Amino acid sequence: MILILDFGGQYTQLIARRVREFQVYCEIHPFDVSPEVVRRLDPEGVILSGGPASVYDTDAPQPHPGVLELLTSGSPPVLGICYGMGILNRAFGGEVARSERKEFGPADIRVVRMDPFFALGGRSTRVWMSHGDRMASIPREMETLAMLRNFVLRVANARTDWTMESFVEQEVPRLRARVGDKRVVCALSGGVDSTVTAALVQQAVGDRLTCIFVDNGLLRAGEVEEVVGIFRDRMQLDVRLVDAAARFLENLRGVADPERKRRIIGTTFIEVFEQEAKTIPHATFLAQGTLYPDVIESISVRGPSATIKSHHNVGGLPERMQLELLEPLRELFKDEVRRLGRVLGLPDTIITRQPFPGPGLAIRVIGPVDAERLRIVRGADAIVQDEIRRAELYQSLWQAFAVLLPVKTVGVMGDERTYENVLAIRAVQSSDGLTADWARLPDDLLGRLSTRIINEVAGVNRVVYDISSKPPATIEWE
């Protein structure tokens, strides 16, 4: 395995994902992990991530002295990226100087002396990416992904044995041992994450799994009938359908802040699950499809990375939850989950579904949520899904959806003045959801989307298209 120490870089998870693409297992741990933990993990290589700090900041994150001594000993080999490079450079006797260029700010630093040799054979590999300096061009052999591959496979000589088949072999016995003779309640949303979770847990505990699908009133048009049919008929899961739409809408009444929405939805979900679980003898565990990106964007679990937003299944859990959590996918990325679904034999209709946020349409209604605004965004979303599929673009897009804005504008419909809502369309391309670029949809498709939404969804007189990428924007608006 490869050990990644997190110094606060928002791309730490992306580094991990790239390593796993080489079929090498990796784990992310805090920058100040103890030497005992490092020795227990016995990694073939260590990567120090980037971060926003300067090595000269008084509160800059520093590795444990014992770990730093271990890393500078030459075994295991170590790769430093950005801030991690600064740490290594100083440890090896190099110099790091603050940038004198005012436009980059006083905290920017750059290497002024080092002995560079890259991931092509040495035991200590160091890479620098300055916050202030920009590389106009680099030689092909120094391309970042190639350097990372060389470090992992040639310098660290890590074994390429991380596959979803091996994950199933390890995770199923672990789940079986942890659950014992108790029962598991699985929170099904209809998306690939929760469905793969259910399939994996079912393989481990069999008929001691009961799935609960909650109609929270925040789902897309026709979603309840479609997904429940797949769960019961094609996957033979024991599924209970709970209608809690009124409860969710009441709890969300008047709430505009997106973080409060997420936390209210998360809390209400757990309350519903706990209430339903009381009718299931020996129900002890709650399984849900939390992924690695959910965790890194919600809370700083392992390093000092900044919180971006709370995910309803991570940051919204009550402190005194009565069910014990099972999160077997917590260390996986979305592409790994899709591969895992195929290993488990799930239907393509589930595996290839575009991601849908746990809080549902509540975070696609900007501002307070009510039945009328949900009607508008639900109707618009159905049109977006229909047109994207008709254009045969569904599989090539990471996500495509509608967002109802808290804005009204003047328009003319049927020779009369209108003052109605603005609807935004968001479509992005991505491989993992960690970064994304806005999709260049054909003009005629955008035209059809606008025409249909304005003509078919009462209450909308203007449609706009979101052309921002992630970062700096997130994929969802809230």
Side-chain angles (χ1 to χ4, degrees):
M1 61 94 70
I2 297 295
L3 171 62
I4 301 173
L5 299 187
D6 180 13
F7 285 89
Q10 287 300 328
Y11 289 96
T12 303
Q13 299 291 327
L14 188 57
I15 297 169
R17 183 180 177 277
R18 295 295 179 248
V19 172
R20 292 195 187 174
E21 285 179 352
F22 308 146
Q23 292 191 320
V24 173
Y25 181 67
C26 63
E27 288 185 11
I28 297 173
H29 286 263
F31 65 92
D32 56 355
V33 65
S34 70
E36 291 74 24
V37 171
V38 176
R39 293 190 184 96
R40 175 177 57 80
L41 293 172
D42 190 26
E44 278 89 0
V46 178
I47 297 175
L48 308 188
S49 82
S54 161
V55 294
Y56 289 108
D57 291 344
T58 56
D59 59 348
Q62 297 290 332
H64 188 288
V67 171
L68 192 59
E69 181 180 353
L70 180 66
L71 297 182
T72 55
S73 69
S75 181
V78 56
L79 168 68
I81 299 175
C82 196
Y83 177 81
M85 174 65 251
I87 293 291
L88 284 183
N89 195 53
R90 297 185 76 189
F92 278 98
E95 297 177 9
V96 179
R98 294 178 185 270
S99 172
E100 299 298 328
R101 290 170 290 180
K102 300 293 185 181
E103 63 269 26
F104 297 124
D108 294 315
I109 52 179
R110 59 187 176 87
V111 174
V112 296
R113 190 188 78 228
M114 61 180 290
D115 298 317
F117 59 105
F118 298 99
L120 299 174
R123 293 298 294 170
S124 177
T125 304
R126 292 167 281 170
V127 182
W128 177 244
M129 295 168 58
S130 170
H131 287 281
D133 297 334
R134 180 177 65 85
M135 303 298 117
S137 64
I138 58 174
R140 182 175 178 82
E141 62 270 17
M142 286 178 59
E143 191 271 325
T144 305
L145 188 59
M147 292 172 62
L148 186 61
R149 181 186 297 108
N150 285 331
F151 172 78
V152 171
L153 301 182
R154 298 177 62 181
V155 178
N157 197 29
R159 295 186 299 277
T160 55
D161 56 4
W162 171 249
T163 65
M164 290 303 97
E165 288 82 0
S166 66
F167 177 82
V168 172
E169 292 174 3
Q170 296 173 17
E171 190 65 19
V172 167
R174 191 191 70 82
L175 287 169
R176 189 174 294 133
R178 185 178 173 193
V179 173
D181 59 355
K182 305 299 182 183
R183 293 191 66 86
V184 181
V185 177
C186 184
L188 280 179
S189 68
V192 63
D193 305 335
S194 64
T195 306
V196 170
T197 297
L200 187 64
V201 174
Q202 184 187 43
Q203 188 160 325
V205 304
D207 61 6
R208 284 181 290 114
L209 168 68
T210 299
C211 298
I212 298 177
F213 183 81
V214 177
D215 180 1
N216 57 9
L218 307 172
L219 301 175
R220 292 170 290 194
E223 184 128 20
V224 174
E225 297 78 12
E226 178 186 359
V227 299
V228 171
I230 291 174
F231 294 151
R232 288 176 176 170
D233 300 336
R234 299 191 61 180
M235 297 179 62
Q236 286 77 53
L237 290 173
D238 176 17
V239 181
R240 296 189 182 187
L241 175 61
V242 180
D243 184 356
R247 182 173 182 173
F248 276 84
L249 288 181
E250 178 60 31
N251 290 349
L252 288 168
R253 182 191 299 272
V255 177
D257 179 73
E259 281 295 293
R260 283 194 62 203
K261 284 184 188 178
R262 289 176 176 271
R263 293 184 180 277
I264 288 171
I265 291 168
T267 300
T268 307
F269 259 119
I270 299 302
E271 291 172 352
V272 172
F273 291 140
E274 287 185 333
Q275 182 176 342
E276 191 68 20
K278 289 177 181 178
T279 67
I280 303 171
H282 310 295
T284 306
F285 295 91
L286 168 62
Q288 60 180 18
T290 304
L291 304 189
Y292 232 178
D294 298 339
V295 174
I296 196 61
E297 289 191 343
S298 295
I299 46 178
S300 180
V301 248
R302 295 190 168 175
S305 302
T307 297
I308 298 174
K309 61 186 177 184
S310 293
H311 286 259
H312 84 286
N313 56 343
V314 181
L317 299 178
E319 293 183 1
R320 301 182 65 179
M321 190 180 61
Q322 297 175 23
L323 295 172
E324 186 177 346
L325 273 181
L326 283 180
E327 297 177 310
L329 312 184
R330 189 180 178 90
E331 305 295 331
L332 298 186
F333 295 99
K334 179 71 76 171
D335 58 323
E336 292 176 316
V337 173
R338 294 191 193 280
R339 292 201 300 272
L340 176 59
R342 289 189 169 90
V343 170
L344 294 171
L346 298 187
D348 269 355
T349 50
I350 289 291
I351 293 174
T352 60
R353 291 192 86 192
Q354 291 182 0
F356 184 65
L361 298 178
I363 59 169
R364 293 180 180 173
V365 172
I366 310 303
V369 178
D370 57 38
E372 172 61 13
R373 294 178 67 76
L374 285 170
R375 177 196 65 78
I376 293 174
V377 77
R378 185 177 288 116
D381 180 80
I383 293 172
V384 171
Q385 300 304 312
D386 181 51
E387 289 294 339
I388 291 297
R389 290 181 184 275
R390 285 174 181 268
E392 299 183 347
L393 293 174
Y394 186 85
Q395 299 300 331
S396 63
L397 294 175
W398 177 260
Q399 277 177 275
F401 54 89
V403 180
L404 181 60
L405 307 186
V407 176
K408 288 190 174 183
T409 64
V410 173
V412 178
M413 298 180 70
D415 296 327
E416 293 183 359
R417 176 187 183 277
T418 62
Y419 190 59
E420 300 287 5
N421 295 282
V422 180
L423 198 291
I425 296 173
R426 177 77 157 143
V428 298
Q429 293 176 317
S430 176
S431 59
D432 49 30
L434 295 175
T435 60
D437 191 20
W438 63 277
R440 278 66 174 173
L441 298 183
D443 292 348
D444 59 341
L445 173 58
L446 290 172
R448 288 197 304 275
L449 286 169
S450 177
T451 299
R452 284 194 60 188
I453 290 171
I454 291 173
N455 289 340
E456 298 177 27
V457 181
V460 177
N461 68 358
R462 191 178 301 269
V463 174
V464 298
Y465 188 55
D466 182 349
I467 60 170
S468 50
S469 297
K470 175 185 180 180
T474 54
I475 295 177
E476 298 288 346
W477 279 46
E478 289 192 342

